[in-house]
Amino acid sequence: MNCIHIQASRSYEVLIGNGLLHHMGNIISGLEGGKPSRAVIVSDDQVFALYGAQTAGQLQQAGIAADPFIFPHGEASKCMSVYEMLLETLSGLRLTRSDLLVALGGGVTGDLTGFAAATYQRGIRYVQIPTTLLAAVDSSVGGKTAINLQHGKNQVGCFYQPSIVICDPETLRTLPEEEYRNGMSEVIKYGMIGDEAFLSCLETEDASDWIEDVIRICVMMKRDIVSQDEFDTGKRMLLNFGHTLGHGVESCSHYQIPHGIAVAMGMAAMTRAAERKGICSKGTAERLSKLLACYELPDETPYSPEDLAAAAMADKKKSGDQLRIVVPEAAGHCIIQTIPAAELEAWVRASGKE
């Protein structure tokens, strides 16, 4: 088992190891703040069908009463109405601040649960149990919580750290192939922003053959960034590589294109644009496209520059008439650059494949 300490406003451990789901009741019982008397398991209908009974059983064996909150799977559930239903459920169960929420699932579940935990009674503890690769390597760590609005992704949220992250790579065996590809997009992102050696390993070795180490490396990279910039005002913005255009792709598709697939499109587009503007070393875009293809990820978007730029304008990194974008200078090294927001469409135009 790997144990990675995250130093933040609430410090906590990320546990990574096969079989951890079989021990999560005892792990949760020993959390700082004391053993909760009650926990609500927040999960979508697909994940709960796979792991809900086991999770509830583990909690009950540890002497913790367990209640489920199950919502329809998909990005559409990361919304105000489901968030409100979750809060009403917690209130109806008379949960107190000494109790606990358990986020059992992927990024949608983690974001929704974390935001509810941050706001219910001004803050209740929560545990992240990621069951997707994307959540394991990225969204379960770092404390970003949010729900979507009609006009943009993650427009309502806050920073609120979990009490612990329990990652059991065995849960990844039940992932649909598309969900695995979603996660690999974020894995490749970590290599692109700051670890060329890691990127090289992904090119020569199938990530599925060493997935626990892949998760560990990504979490350690995120740990180092979050410890320096918990609230996303500086270096942490590097983690948004591919996300400005990626969120635009998601919006244009009405969330029919999953997050990871959209981020892959966004990374490839920004790298091509950076090369053509002379910022990025030649050959980087081709190298990235080949790696994305290895993991069956796309490298171009299906939308016009006008539509994509307009959708991306809802991005949270926009400040007044300025926009901060993450730009690669080479494979394994990205920088944060501020541009006039009006120039984003020109960047998108420069990102097209020849």
Side-chain angles (χ1 to χ4, degrees):
M1 180 184 76
N2 290 284
C3 179
I4 301 170
H5 181 73
I6 308 295
Q7 185 66 44
S9 52
R10 173 194 282 144
S11 297
Y12 55 97
E13 312 297 332
V14 179
L15 307 181
I16 307 166
N18 288 323
L20 280 177
L21 206 59
H22 301 291
H23 305 285
M24 52 86 66
N26 290 332
I27 294 169
I28 289 173
S29 293
L31 288 177
E32 183 179 349
K35 185 174 88 171
S37 60
R38 181 176 293 275
V40 171
I41 304 165
V42 183
S43 191
D44 70 38
D45 49 6
Q46 290 184 337
V47 174
F48 193 85
L50 293 169
Y51 303 111
Q54 181 181 358
T55 302
Q58 278 288 314
L59 291 168
Q60 289 160 359
Q61 287 177 27
I64 303 168
D67 297 281
F69 177 85
I70 306 168
F71 61 90
H73 65 276
E75 188 76 24
S77 287
K78 204 172 91 171
C79 64
M80 195 68 74
S81 61
V82 176
Y83 164 69
E84 182 180 6
M85 285 190 287
L86 175 53
L87 294 182
E88 291 290 359
T89 297
L90 304 183
S91 182
L93 291 168
R94 298 292 188 262
L95 248 69
T96 71
R97 294 180 69 185
S98 64
D99 294 318
L100 186 80
L101 303 187
V102 176
L104 176 67
V108 169
T109 300
D111 280 5
L112 172 67
T113 307
F115 186 48
T119 50
Y120 178 72
Q121 295 190 352
R122 299 192 179 96
I124 184 173
R125 293 177 296 172
Y126 79 110
V127 171
Q128 289 270 17
I129 303 181
T131 63
T132 67
L133 181 57
L134 189 151
V137 301
D138 193 68
S139 63
S140 67
V141 180
K144 279 189 175 181
T145 77
I147 57 175
N148 303 334
L149 296 179
Q150 181 179 351
H151 295 290
K153 186 179 173 78
N154 297 334
Q155 292 295 296
V156 181
C158 62
F159 294 90
Y160 192 68
Q161 303 294 341
S163 293
I164 197 168
V165 179
I166 304 170
C167 177
D168 185 342
E170 288 185 355
T171 63
L172 304 184
R173 295 176 183 173
T174 58
L175 280 183
E177 185 59 35
E178 184 178 64
E179 276 301 328
Y180 179 76
R181 292 198 301 272
N182 269 330
M184 280 309 305
S185 177
E186 294 283 359
V187 169
I188 292 167
K189 176 196 76 177
Y190 278 99
M192 281 294 296
I193 66 172
D195 194 335
E196 195 275 336
F198 180 49
L199 204 66
S200 294
C201 289
L202 295 173
E203 290 170 325
T204 58
E205 303 175 48
D206 191 325
S208 63
D209 293 336
W210 50 299
I211 199 65
E212 186 170 338
D213 282 335
V214 166
I215 296 169
R216 175 184 57 81
I217 291 166
C218 293
V219 170
M220 289 177 67
M221 289 182 68
K222 189 161 191 179
R223 171 203 63 189
D224 294 342
I225 291 172
V226 169
S227 67
Q228 297 176 56
D229 179 24
E230 180 177 358
F231 299 109
D232 207 15
T233 59
K235 187 174 183 179
R236 186 168 179 170
M237 293 179 191
L238 289 172
L239 295 170
N240 293 320
F241 177 48
H243 284 59
T244 296
L245 295 186
H247 288 170
V249 168
E250 289 182 86
S251 179
C252 285
S253 75
H254 303 288
Y255 299 102
Q256 295 305 299
I257 295 178
H259 176 72
I261 304 300
V263 167
M265 296 174 180
M267 290 191 297
M270 290 304 295
T271 304
R272 284 193 297 269
E275 269 198 34
R276 288 170 183 158
K277 290 178 176 290
I279 299 169
C280 183
S281 59
K282 293 293 184 183
T284 304
E286 182 181 4
R287 182 179 178 184
L288 175 58
S289 290
K290 287 181 178 178
L291 181 55
L292 291 173
C294 284
Y295 292 97
E296 299 182 43
L297 290 162
D299 68 347
E300 58 183 325
T301 71
Y303 302 109
S304 70
E306 298 88 348
D307 289 346
L308 190 52
M313 280 297 100
D315 196 275
K316 302 179 298 303
K317 293 170 285 299
K318 185 171 181 285
S319 178
D321 60 356
Q322 301 290 303
L323 181 68
R324 289 163 293 188
I325 58 175
V326 183
V327 181
E329 291 187 320
H333 182 68
C334 288
I335 59 171
I336 302 161
Q337 185 164 318
T338 301
I339 64 170
E343 290 185 5
L344 181 62
E345 186 176 323
W347 275 79
V348 179
R349 291 187 181 282
S351 73
K353 294 186 75 174
E354 293 178 345

